[in-house]
């Protein structure tokens, strides 16, 4: 990676393992209730499938939270060097209390809609909105949000 990193957002290991543990606990509990509970077949299937979906989500979180995000001069990138959003594409950054944002994170509103995708615990993208945070370290996320906001005010 030849881009200079200005600031980095890393995963809080305690939050990571707490989130993964909750996924495992809930998923296994739902599967056991579905298999061993005195339920009719449609409810058993609902519980087992819901538990399997939550366990899959926990596996996705486990895989996704090995990485980090970094702010460069040009964009916000993940640990593999893929660009999540270009600085020029950002309209505003929202860290407000009532913003629809991940925990310990911030919301970026973009000019152009992007592909909807999700990296559990780190970031999500839905249309023109990019949410950054979840199991990330709150202080680092705040610094990156402030740096992006500063770049936007300098641009205007």
């Amino acid at each position: 990676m030849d881009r200079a990193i200005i600031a980095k957002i890393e995963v809080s290991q305690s939050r990571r393992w707490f989130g993964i543990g909750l996924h495992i606990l809930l998923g296994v509990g739902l599967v056991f209730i579905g298999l061993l509970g005195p339920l009719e077949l449609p409810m058993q299937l609902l519980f087992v499938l819901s538990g399997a979906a939550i366990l899959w989500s926990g596996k996705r979180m486990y895989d996704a939270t090995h990485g980090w995000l970094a702010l460069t001069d040009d964009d916000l990138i993940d640990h593999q060097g893929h660009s999540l959003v270009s600085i020029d594409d950002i309209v505003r950054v929202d860290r407000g209390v009532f913003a629809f944002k991940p925990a310990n994170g911030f919301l970026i509103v973009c000019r152009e809609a992007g592909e909807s995708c999700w990296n559990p615990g780190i970031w999500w993208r839905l249309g023109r909105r990019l949410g950054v945070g979840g199991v990330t370290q709150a202080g680092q996320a705040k610094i990156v949000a402030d740096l992006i906001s500063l770049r936007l005010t300098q641009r205007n």
Side-chain angles (χ1 to χ4, degrees):
M1 182 174 6
D2 58 345
R3 296 179 265 195
I5 293 176
I6 297 170
K8 203 181 228 186
I9 305 174
E10 295 175 322
V11 171
S12 167
Q13 291 301 315
S14 58
R15 287 188 184 109
R16 175 182 188 234
W17 288 109
F18 183 74
I20 293 168
L22 283 179
H23 276 87
I24 292 170
L25 185 65
L26 181 59
V28 168
L30 287 174
V31 169
F32 273 125
I33 289 171
L35 295 177
L36 304 176
L39 304 170
E40 294 183 20
L41 185 60
M43 287 303 289
Q44 282 182 323
L45 287 174
L46 179 68
F47 272 82
V48 170
L49 291 176
S50 297
I54 291 171
L55 288 171
W56 171 79
S57 175
K59 170 72 168 97
R60 289 263 335 252
M61 179 183 271
Y62 175 78
D63 293 339
T65 53
H66 283 293
W68 43 262
L69 299 177
L71 178 65
T72 66
D73 283 330
D74 301 323
D75 47 6
L76 184 65
I77 61 172
D78 66 6
H79 67 283
Q80 297 172 331
H82 299 122
S83 176
L84 303 181
V85 65
S86 170
I87 297 297
D88 296 331
D89 189 36
I90 298 175
V91 175
R92 73 175 188 273
V93 176
D94 194 356
R95 290 189 301 121
V97 176
F98 299 110
F100 182 68
K101 63 179 178 60
N104 301 316
F106 54 94
L107 180 72
I108 295 175
V109 179
C110 305
R111 294 185 202 289
E112 301 291 326
E115 179 185 352
S116 295
C117 45
W118 173 54
N119 211 354
I122 305 278
W123 61 271
W124 53 262
R125 175 113 191 208
L126 186 61
R128 292 180 43 225
R129 304 208 175 331
L130 172 70
V132 175
V135 298
T136 57
Q137 295 186 17
Q140 293 175 347
K142 182 180 184 307
I143 290 169
V144 169
D146 288 343
L147 288 171
I148 294 172
S149 295
L150 182 63
R151 292 279 309 266
L152 295 178
T153 56
Q154 289 174 349
R155 180 177 70 192
N156 295 334

